[in-house]
């Protein structure tokens, strides 16, 4: 058997493959869906609710027409939603770094005057969230997750017991990478749990709010409303973007929260810049026209993505079903399949695949400090490759997993 | 005389004027010059040096094609120039706030671990620079200016004597609001002066690098090269944007510095965002094509702006020439005319003008903490109003100045 697995693997070597399953990048066909967007706002009528979209001026909160479209989709009242530039990650980074000079809670000291802040990180999670913490000197503590979100017993104990815990990351719907959606019960507990720090904030990165891949999409409860109802109105920072709706590099992003948090946000945003790029915001508003326009557009993405996610299930099922210690998710939406391989072999699988020309996200990336204690998780991103490339990459991957398992058994 | 001045002024009241000389906003005709930009990058060929401009990926430094065009105009080597999104002010803000968590000098502590940093502010200066300091808790110290830049004797003494002086603001060409350009001798002294803080940086906001209004434009020496030649390569942060070249709200911005500073900048930028909006960057690169393309474009701006600046000179000259204590600049470029009125009357002039329907920048705005100790400076921005509106606004302004002088003499 070991001989066969090695032979299966070795037939890929020297083939000069260059396949990539690393990042959740839209494929060119997905980007083409939004080409019409660039043709808008060119007829010489640049006047919008906020004045001439080409010029300075208007609200620091961004173009109202755009905020009206995305407010219901992101579950944020329109007057509590700000529209910004192409990167929601930049908004999260800005929220963290701004807290070092001015805490979002009026009665809490700026973090430059406190012990180093701690953020809780449900794992596996989004590596770029952890990169923000690492860059800004925020200590990360992993929190285990279940099929409906973070393990709330662990989480509640940490936020209640440590006033240095100032925040937590969460991709609440079709989470990156594990694909689950936070349950109503978890939303309820997040909104109501006692916290030690008055400026504790949930960084609710709703990146895949409308990124359904089935006819029975996951439903996400409204955290902002739940927090307000629980008497903790300032607990949630909601983020979103069109990076995986229009253009990954040239979309628009959103920040929503309570009136007090939005006032804090805009106070600093208005000193940082004279305003966001309203031309791009107007193009997005006119391209979609309404929330339903966004949902209709997402069905076109689904038509491209659904076969790719099905190919992952088919391919892994055929090759790996029943293999000891190997399992994978089958999400209802989002951009990732999360693969568990035999503990202790994830790094070896990534190494073997790389040598055969298939680039995988580094093992450990979805964990704080890049370290997966069990060395078992691999994140697969099937959106970018074409059908043939994807199939070939999955074939290689399966051979690598089998070989790494064999090697581990052989000790 | 006082009766006449009051009568002259009072004829404006109740006329319902709504004129605005407050901000350096391009007028609609200037914005129209760049309409063609929005038609670019739509032919389905989105591949550039960096890959598909619509997608994630590519250099955090921004699109090479764009950086090549602006590198010579901003006097920065292309591999030391980063292209970013629509706001250079946001880049300056980011440089300051990032220094609180990581000093740009490897051997200096982050500012959150030091005494509150101090920035030197040549006055009169740009109010939004001072707004960044106020927002981030940076102490401001004014420095007087001459016709060729800051008073270097004062400046040299302050930077050499205080290790808390971590930065200074400077709009080096057609400065906001006074219109002067820094002389070669001042550039030389800035580059060579001893400084107490290893992470002292000159925030060289070259906002009007190509914004000439005459056939004999001011010439600006290359600060970055002068610093490198003087053995102080890391002293200068160079900023620029197309806010007053293409679209004030939807242009592109630039950060340039030494290789070490650029590495510091990109290390953090790459954690903050996956990349800038390369669609907009590609549109800008193709619209201009070359540095000469930018310069040719600026001649079209000049054709619109030069008559407006001439109108200011004509109108003020006719009405105020020889009036005691009143003078104004006649810059070779940029966006402003800086007006000195009789000491103690600037606030009153702004108040009178406002009551008559002419909005002026608040007196004191070009000074740290909004306070002009002599209450004498008023910034005029003639770019936005149409010719008739501008002429009328200047008529009102002249009447306000004469009346305020009369009141002061009578006082």
């Amino acid at each position: 058997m070991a001989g066969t697995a090695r032979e299966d693997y070795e037939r890929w070597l020297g083939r000069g493959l260059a396949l990539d399953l690393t990042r959740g990048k839209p494929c060119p066909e997905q980007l083409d869906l939004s080409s019409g967007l660039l043709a808008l706002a060119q007829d010489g009528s640049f006047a919008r609710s906020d004045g001439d979209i080409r010029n300075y001026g208007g609200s620091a909160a961004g173009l109202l027409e755009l905020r009206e479209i995305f407010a219901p989709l992101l579950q944020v009242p329109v007057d509590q939603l700000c529209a910004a530039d192409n990167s929601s990650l930049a908004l999260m980074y800005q929220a963290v770094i701004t807290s070092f000079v001015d805490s979002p809670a009026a009665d809490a000291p700026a973090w430059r005057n406190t012990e180093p802040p701690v953020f809780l990180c449900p794992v596996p999670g989004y590596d770029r969230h952890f990169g923000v913490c690492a860059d800004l000197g925020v200590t990360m503590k992993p929190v285990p997750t279940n099929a409906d979100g973070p393990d709330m017993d662990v989480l509640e104990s940490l936020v209640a017991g440590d006033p240095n815990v100032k925040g937590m990351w969460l991709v609440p719907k079709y989470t990156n990478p594990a694909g689950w959606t936070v349950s109503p019960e978890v939303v309820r507990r997040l909104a109501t749990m006692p916290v030690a720090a008055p400026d504790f904030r949930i960084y609710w990165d709703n990146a895949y709010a409308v990124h359904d891949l089935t006819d029975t999409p996951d439903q996400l409860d409204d955290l902002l409303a739940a927090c307000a109802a629980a008497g903790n109105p300032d607990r949630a920072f909601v983020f979103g973007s069109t990076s995986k709706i229009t253009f990954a590099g040239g979309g628009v992003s959103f920040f929503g929260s309570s009136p007090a948090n939005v006032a804090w946000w805009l106070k600093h945003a208005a000193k940082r810049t004279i305003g966001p790029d309203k031309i791009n915001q107007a193009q997005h508003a006119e391209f979609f026209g309404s929330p339903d326009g966004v949902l209709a557009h997402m069905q076109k993405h689904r038509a491209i993505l659904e076969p790719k996610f099905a190919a992952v299930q088919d391919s892994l099922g055929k090759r790996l079903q029943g293999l000891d210690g190997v399992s994978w998710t089958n999400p209802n939406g989002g951009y990732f399949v999360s693969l568990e391989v035999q503990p202790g072999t994830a790094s070896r699988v990534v190494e073997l695949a790389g040598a055969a020309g298939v680039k995988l996200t580094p093992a450990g990336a979805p964990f704080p400090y890049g370290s997966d204690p069990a060395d078992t998780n691999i994140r697969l991103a099937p959106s970018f490759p074409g059908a043939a490339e994807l199939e070939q990459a999955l074939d290689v991957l399966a051979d690598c997993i089998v070989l790494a398992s064999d090697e581990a058994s052989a000790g």
Side-chain angles (χ1 to χ4, degrees), chain A:
Chain A
M1 276 297 281
T4 309
R6 175 151 293 280
E7 282 161 24
D8 283 347
Y9 170 72
E10 283 179 350
R11 76 197 150 103
W12 298 112
L13 301 178
R15 298 258 305 258
L17 298 183
L19 305 168
D20 193 326
L21 295 178
T22 56
R23 297 231 71 97
K25 282 171 72 164
C27 63
E29 294 76 16
Q30 289 180 273
L31 299 169
D32 288 343
L33 297 175
S34 299
S35 289
L37 185 152
L38 296 173
L40 296 171
Q42 284 172 52
D43 58 358
S45 61
F46 295 103
R48 298 296 184 280
S49 66
D50 238 11
D52 189 328
I53 54 173
R54 301 169 299 177
N55 219 328
Y56 292 131
S59 166
L63 203 67
L64 179 62
E65 293 89 328
L66 180 66
R67 291 156 49 214
E68 285 174 338
I69 292 172
F70 280 86
L73 301 173
L74 291 169
Q75 302 173 302
V76 177
V78 65
D79 55 345
Q80 292 168 229
L81 186 67
C82 307
D85 292 323
N86 75 326
S87 167
S88 57
L89 187 71
L91 304 185
M92 299 174 219
Y93 186 100
Q94 210 62 30
V96 177
I97 198 169
T98 300
S99 301
F100 277 93
V101 295
D102 182 29
S103 164
D107 52 352
W111 299 355
R112 66 175 161 183
N113 299 321
T114 67
E115 295 292 301
V118 176
F119 268 48
L120 304 181
C121 304
V123 291
Y126 178 32
D127 56 352
R128 288 190 185 273
H129 288 164
F130 307 152
V132 170
C133 285
D135 193 55
L136 298 176
V138 174
T139 304
M140 291 177 267
K141 274 198 187 161
V143 171
T145 54
N146 300 314
D148 70 341
D151 183 319
M152 288 305 297
D153 293 338
V154 174
L155 191 87
E156 284 168 349
S157 151
L158 288 167
V159 294
D162 184 353
N164 294 321
V165 173
K166 301 289 196 178
M168 65 172 286
W169 298 107
L170 202 53
V171 178
K173 191 173 176 187
Y174 305 135
T175 201
N176 177 352
W180 44 252
T181 294
V182 164
S183 68
E185 171 64 5
V186 167
V187 169
R188 189 193 63 73
R189 289 175 73 174
L190 287 169
T192 55
M193 63 187 179
V195 305
D199 51 354
F200 171 81
R201 297 291 181 268
I202 300 169
Y203 281 62
W204 188 255
D205 180 5
N206 201 354
Y208 309 106
V210 293
H211 302 59
D212 306 314
L213 292 174
T214 75
D215 287 330
T216 52
D218 293 358
Q219 300 299 320
L220 178 66
D221 269 17
D222 179 339
L223 179 69
L224 205 53
C227 288
N232 299 312
D234 300 329
R235 181 170 292 181
F237 283 167
V238 177
F239 301 93
S241 82
T242 68
S243 292
K244 280 146 188 159
I245 299 175
T246 57
F247 301 127
V252 294
S253 60
F254 300 93
F255 170 80
S257 193
S258 67
N261 285 338
V262 169
W264 168 82
W265 178 264
L266 289 177
K267 179 180 78 170
H268 295 292
K271 295 300 176 185
R272 190 169 58 82
T273 155
I274 306 180
D277 182 347
K278 288 169 295 173
I279 294 174
N280 198 24
Q281 295 192 345
Q283 288 175 320
H284 276 75
E286 273 139 57
F287 183 64
F288 293 123
S290 71
D292 281 344
V294 177
L295 297 177
H297 183 76
M298 294 312 291
Q299 287 299 315
K300 301 180 195 167
H301 279 287
R302 176 183 164 186
I304 296 170
L305 289 176
E306 200 179 346
K308 297 189 182 189
F309 278 77
V312 175
Q313 298 301 321
D314 286 352
S315 182
L316 298 184
K318 255 185 280 183
R319 298 288 315 280
L320 302 175
Q321 197 67 56
L323 192 68
D324 195 37
V326 178
S327 63
W328 55 91
T329 57
N330 184 12
N332 289 326
Y335 264 67
F336 303 102
V337 171
S338 186
L339 175 68
E340 303 278 315
V341 295
Q342 212 178 87
T345 68
S347 311
R348 178 62 178 153
V349 169
V350 172
E351 180 188 20
L352 288 167
V358 175
K359 225 174 136 180
L360 298 174
T361 304
F367 293 79
Y369 309 105
S371 167
D372 175 3
D375 191 25
T376 186
N377 184 266
I378 295 174
R379 186 183 82 167
L380 302 181
S383 56
F384 189 78
E389 289 80 12
L390 178 60
E391 197 171 343
Q392 193 166 47
L394 291 165
D395 274 350
V396 175
L397 174 65
D399 286 333
C400 296
I401 291 169
V402 172
L403 176 55
S405 289
D406 273 15
E407 289 176 348
S409 311

PDB file of all heavy atoms in Angstrom, chain A residues 130-151:
ATOM      1  N   PHE A 130      -5.988  37.607  12.199  1.00  0.00           N
ATOM      2  CA  PHE A 130      -4.892  37.376  13.136  1.00  0.00           C
ATOM      3  C   PHE A 130      -3.673  38.223  12.756  1.00  0.00           C
ATOM      4  O   PHE A 130      -2.910  38.659  13.621  1.00  0.00           O
ATOM      5  CB  PHE A 130      -4.551  35.886  13.174  1.00  0.00           C
ATOM      6  CG  PHE A 130      -5.749  35.005  13.446  1.00  0.00           C
ATOM      7  CD1 PHE A 130      -5.805  33.704  12.986  1.00  0.00           C
ATOM      8  CD2 PHE A 130      -6.841  35.493  14.168  1.00  0.00           C
ATOM      9  CE1 PHE A 130      -6.923  32.889  13.231  1.00  0.00           C
ATOM     10  CE2 PHE A 130      -7.968  34.696  14.417  1.00  0.00           C
ATOM     11  CZ  PHE A 130      -8.007  33.394  13.940  1.00  0.00           C
ATOM     12  N   GLY A 131      -3.530  38.482  11.466  1.00  0.00           N
ATOM     13  CA  GLY A 131      -2.446  39.354  11.003  1.00  0.00           C
ATOM     14  C   GLY A 131      -2.591  40.776  11.522  1.00  0.00           C
ATOM     15  O   GLY A 131      -1.598  41.441  11.832  1.00  0.00           O
ATOM     16  N   VAL A 132      -3.829  41.260  11.619  1.00  0.00           N
ATOM     17  CA  VAL A 132      -4.061  42.598  12.179  1.00  0.00           C
ATOM     18  C   VAL A 132      -3.583  42.635  13.627  1.00  0.00           C
ATOM     19  O   VAL A 132      -2.869  43.549  14.051  1.00  0.00           O
ATOM     20  CB  VAL A 132      -5.560  42.974  12.089  1.00  0.00           C
ATOM     21  CG1 VAL A 132      -5.858  44.239  12.890  1.00  0.00           C
ATOM     22  CG2 VAL A 132      -5.993  43.141  10.640  1.00  0.00           C
ATOM     23  N   CYS A 133      -3.963  41.627  14.393  1.00  0.00           N
ATOM     24  CA  CYS A 133      -3.539  41.573  15.806  1.00  0.00           C
ATOM     25  C   CYS A 133      -2.018  41.522  15.911  1.00  0.00           C
ATOM     26  O   CYS A 133      -1.422  42.249  16.721  1.00  0.00           O
ATOM     27  CB  CYS A 133      -4.135  40.342  16.487  1.00  0.00           C
ATOM     28  SG  CYS A 133      -5.892  40.505  16.865  1.00  0.00           S
ATOM     29  N   ALA A 134      -1.415  40.662  15.118  1.00  0.00           N
ATOM     30  CA  ALA A 134       0.041  40.525  15.191  1.00  0.00           C
ATOM     31  C   ALA A 134       0.719  41.846  14.850  1.00  0.00           C
ATOM     32  O   ALA A 134       1.696  42.249  15.482  1.00  0.00           O
ATOM     33  CB  ALA A 134       0.506  39.418  14.242  1.00  0.00           C
ATOM     34  N   ASP A 135       0.180  42.544  13.848  1.00  0.00           N
ATOM     35  CA  ASP A 135       0.800  43.798  13.415  1.00  0.00           C
ATOM     36  C   ASP A 135       0.698  44.880  14.481  1.00  0.00           C
ATOM     37  O   ASP A 135       1.583  45.731  14.588  1.00  0.00           O
ATOM     38  CB  ASP A 135       0.133  44.277  12.125  1.00  0.00           C
ATOM     39  CG  ASP A 135       0.924  45.397  11.453  1.00  0.00           C
ATOM     40  OD1 ASP A 135       2.123  45.182  11.199  1.00  0.00           O
ATOM     41  OD2 ASP A 135       0.355  46.470  11.192  1.00  0.00           O
ATOM     42  N   LEU A 136      -0.383  44.866  15.253  1.00  0.00           N
ATOM     43  CA  LEU A 136      -0.637  45.963  16.180  1.00  0.00           C
ATOM     44  C   LEU A 136      -0.342  45.605  17.631  1.00  0.00           C
ATOM     45  O   LEU A 136      -0.634  46.376  18.535  1.00  0.00           O
ATOM     46  CB  LEU A 136      -2.093  46.443  16.026  1.00  0.00           C
ATOM     47  CG  LEU A 136      -2.416  46.986  14.623  1.00  0.00           C
ATOM     48  CD1 LEU A 136      -3.891  47.351  14.512  1.00  0.00           C
ATOM     49  CD2 LEU A 136      -1.546  48.192  14.301  1.00  0.00           C
ATOM     50  N   GLY A 137       0.243  44.448  17.850  1.00  0.00           N
ATOM     51  CA  GLY A 137       0.611  44.093  19.218  1.00  0.00           C
ATOM     52  C   GLY A 137      -0.573  43.717  20.084  1.00  0.00           C
ATOM     53  O   GLY A 137      -0.572  43.977  21.288  1.00  0.00           O
ATOM     54  N   VAL A 138      -1.583  43.123  19.492  1.00  0.00           N
ATOM     55  CA  VAL A 138      -2.743  42.636  20.235  1.00  0.00           C
ATOM     56  C   VAL A 138      -2.542  41.138  20.503  1.00  0.00           C
ATOM     57  O   VAL A 138      -2.285  40.372  19.574  1.00  0.00           O
ATOM     58  CB  VAL A 138      -4.044  42.859  19.433  1.00  0.00           C
ATOM     59  CG1 VAL A 138      -5.236  42.216  20.139  1.00  0.00           C
ATOM     60  CG2 VAL A 138      -4.283  44.351  19.203  1.00  0.00           C
ATOM     61  N   THR A 139      -2.640  40.758  21.758  1.00  0.00           N
ATOM     62  CA  THR A 139      -2.459  39.354  22.124  1.00  0.00           C
ATOM     63  C   THR A 139      -3.668  38.529  21.674  1.00  0.00           C
ATOM     64  O   THR A 139      -4.811  38.961  21.849  1.00  0.00           O
ATOM     65  CB  THR A 139      -2.314  39.238  23.655  1.00  0.00           C
ATOM     66  OG1 THR A 139      -1.230  40.074  24.067  1.00  0.00           O
ATOM     67  CG2 THR A 139      -2.037  37.798  24.073  1.00  0.00           C
ATOM     68  N   MET A 140      -3.418  37.357  21.106  1.00  0.00           N
ATOM     69  CA  MET A 140      -4.516  36.515  20.622  1.00  0.00           C
ATOM     70  C   MET A 140      -4.681  35.298  21.513  1.00  0.00           C
ATOM     71  O   MET A 140      -3.710  34.663  21.902  1.00  0.00           O
ATOM     72  CB  MET A 140      -4.219  36.055  19.194  1.00  0.00           C
ATOM     73  CG  MET A 140      -4.278  37.167  18.176  1.00  0.00           C
ATOM     74  SD  MET A 140      -3.820  36.581  16.517  1.00  0.00           S
ATOM     75  CE  MET A 140      -2.052  36.941  16.498  1.00  0.00           C
ATOM     76  N   LYS A 141      -5.955  34.988  21.805  1.00  0.00           N
ATOM     77  CA  LYS A 141      -6.264  33.749  22.534  1.00  0.00           C
ATOM     78  C   LYS A 141      -7.236  32.936  21.704  1.00  0.00           C
ATOM     79  O   LYS A 141      -8.339  33.413  21.390  1.00  0.00           O
ATOM     80  CB  LYS A 141      -6.916  34.078  23.884  1.00  0.00           C
ATOM     81  CG  LYS A 141      -5.925  34.344  24.979  1.00  0.00           C
ATOM     82  CD  LYS A 141      -6.584  34.214  26.360  1.00  0.00           C
ATOM     83  CE  LYS A 141      -5.585  34.662  27.423  1.00  0.00           C
ATOM     84  NZ  LYS A 141      -6.237  35.003  28.691  1.00  0.00           N
ATOM     85  N   PRO A 142      -6.881  31.699  21.344  1.00  0.00           N
ATOM     86  CA  PRO A 142      -7.805  30.875  20.562  1.00  0.00           C
ATOM     87  C   PRO A 142      -8.985  30.417  21.405  1.00  0.00           C
ATOM     88  O   PRO A 142      -8.874  30.236  22.613  1.00  0.00           O
ATOM     89  CB  PRO A 142      -6.942  29.685  20.128  1.00  0.00           C
ATOM     90  CG  PRO A 142      -5.819  29.630  21.100  1.00  0.00           C
ATOM     91  CD  PRO A 142      -5.599  31.023  21.610  1.00  0.00           C
ATOM     92  N   VAL A 143     -10.124  30.278  20.736  1.00  0.00           N
ATOM     93  CA  VAL A 143     -11.334  29.747  21.361  1.00  0.00           C
ATOM     94  C   VAL A 143     -11.832  28.625  20.461  1.00  0.00           C
ATOM     95  O   VAL A 143     -11.958  28.820  19.249  1.00  0.00           O
ATOM     96  CB  VAL A 143     -12.414  30.848  21.495  1.00  0.00           C
ATOM     97  CG1 VAL A 143     -13.750  30.258  21.931  1.00  0.00           C
ATOM     98  CG2 VAL A 143     -11.955  31.936  22.446  1.00  0.00           C
ATOM     99  N   PRO A 144     -12.138  27.454  21.036  1.00  0.00           N
ATOM    100  CA  PRO A 144     -12.618  26.359  20.173  1.00  0.00           C
ATOM    101  C   PRO A 144     -13.998  26.674  19.596  1.00  0.00           C
ATOM    102  O   PRO A 144     -14.725  27.514  20.120  1.00  0.00           O
ATOM    103  CB  PRO A 144     -12.671  25.157  21.119  1.00  0.00           C
ATOM    104  CG  PRO A 144     -12.705  25.734  22.499  1.00  0.00           C
ATOM    105  CD  PRO A 144     -12.029  27.067  22.446  1.00  0.00           C
ATOM    106  N   THR A 145     -14.330  25.995  18.524  1.00  0.00           N
ATOM    107  CA  THR A 145     -15.625  26.227  17.878  1.00  0.00           C
ATOM    108  C   THR A 145     -16.401  24.929  17.743  1.00  0.00           C
ATOM    109  O   THR A 145     -15.821  23.834  17.717  1.00  0.00           O
ATOM    110  CB  THR A 145     -15.430  26.822  16.468  1.00  0.00           C
ATOM    111  OG1 THR A 145     -14.546  25.973  15.718  1.00  0.00           O
ATOM    112  CG2 THR A 145     -14.849  28.211  16.530  1.00  0.00           C
ATOM    113  N   ASN A 146     -17.714  25.092  17.667  1.00  0.00           N
ATOM    114  CA  ASN A 146     -18.615  23.976  17.392  1.00  0.00           C
ATOM    115  C   ASN A 146     -19.236  24.189  16.014  1.00  0.00           C
ATOM    116  O   ASN A 146     -18.835  25.101  15.289  1.00  0.00           O
ATOM    117  CB  ASN A 146     -19.696  23.909  18.473  1.00  0.00           C
ATOM    118  CG  ASN A 146     -19.086  23.716  19.842  1.00  0.00           C
ATOM    119  OD1 ASN A 146     -18.198  22.878  20.016  1.00  0.00           O
ATOM    120  ND2 ASN A 146     -19.532  24.509  20.824  1.00  0.00           N
ATOM    121  N   ALA A 147     -20.267  23.406  15.711  1.00  0.00           N
ATOM    122  CA  ALA A 147     -20.890  23.509  14.393  1.00  0.00           C
ATOM    123  C   ALA A 147     -21.771  24.745  14.266  1.00  0.00           C
ATOM    124  O   ALA A 147     -22.277  25.040  13.182  1.00  0.00           O
ATOM    125  CB  ALA A 147     -21.705  22.254  14.110  1.00  0.00           C
ATOM    126  N   ASP A 148     -21.966  25.484  15.360  1.00  0.00           N
ATOM    127  CA  ASP A 148     -22.817  26.679  15.278  1.00  0.00           C
ATOM    128  C   ASP A 148     -22.116  27.914  15.837  1.00  0.00           C
ATOM    129  O   ASP A 148     -22.756  28.853  16.283  1.00  0.00           O
ATOM    130  CB  ASP A 148     -24.141  26.441  16.002  1.00  0.00           C
ATOM    131  CG  ASP A 148     -23.974  26.365  17.518  1.00  0.00           C
ATOM    132  OD1 ASP A 148     -22.830  26.134  17.980  1.00  0.00           O
ATOM    133  OD2 ASP A 148     -24.965  26.555  18.233  1.00  0.00           O
ATOM    134  N   GLY A 149     -20.791  27.907  15.791  1.00  0.00           N
ATOM    135  CA  GLY A 149     -20.064  29.083  16.246  1.00  0.00           C
ATOM    136  C   GLY A 149     -19.094  28.756  17.358  1.00  0.00           C
ATOM    137  O   GLY A 149     -18.792  27.580  17.620  1.00  0.00           O
ATOM    138  N   PRO A 150     -18.586  29.806  18.023  1.00  0.00           N
ATOM    139  CA  PRO A 150     -17.600  29.582  19.078  1.00  0.00           C
ATOM    140  C   PRO A 150     -18.202  28.803  20.245  1.00  0.00           C
ATOM    141  O   PRO A 150     -19.407  28.860  20.486  1.00  0.00           O
ATOM    142  CB  PRO A 150     -17.212  30.997  19.517  1.00  0.00           C
ATOM    143  CG  PRO A 150     -18.183  31.915  18.898  1.00  0.00           C
ATOM    144  CD  PRO A 150     -18.861  31.225  17.778  1.00  0.00           C
ATOM    145  N   ASP A 151     -17.383  28.099  20.955  1.00  0.00           N
ATOM    146  CA  ASP A 151     -17.794  27.416  22.184  1.00  0.00           C
ATOM    147  C   ASP A 151     -18.099  28.497  23.213  1.00  0.00           C
ATOM    148  O   ASP A 151     -17.201  29.136  23.776  1.00  0.00           O
ATOM    149  CB  ASP A 151     -16.648  26.510  22.666  1.00  0.00           C
ATOM    150  CG  ASP A 151     -17.035  25.722  23.905  1.00  0.00           C
ATOM    151  OD1 ASP A 151     -17.685  26.296  24.810  1.00  0.00           O
ATOM    152  OD2 ASP A 151     -16.678  24.531  23.964  1.00  0.00           O
TER     153      ASP A 151
END
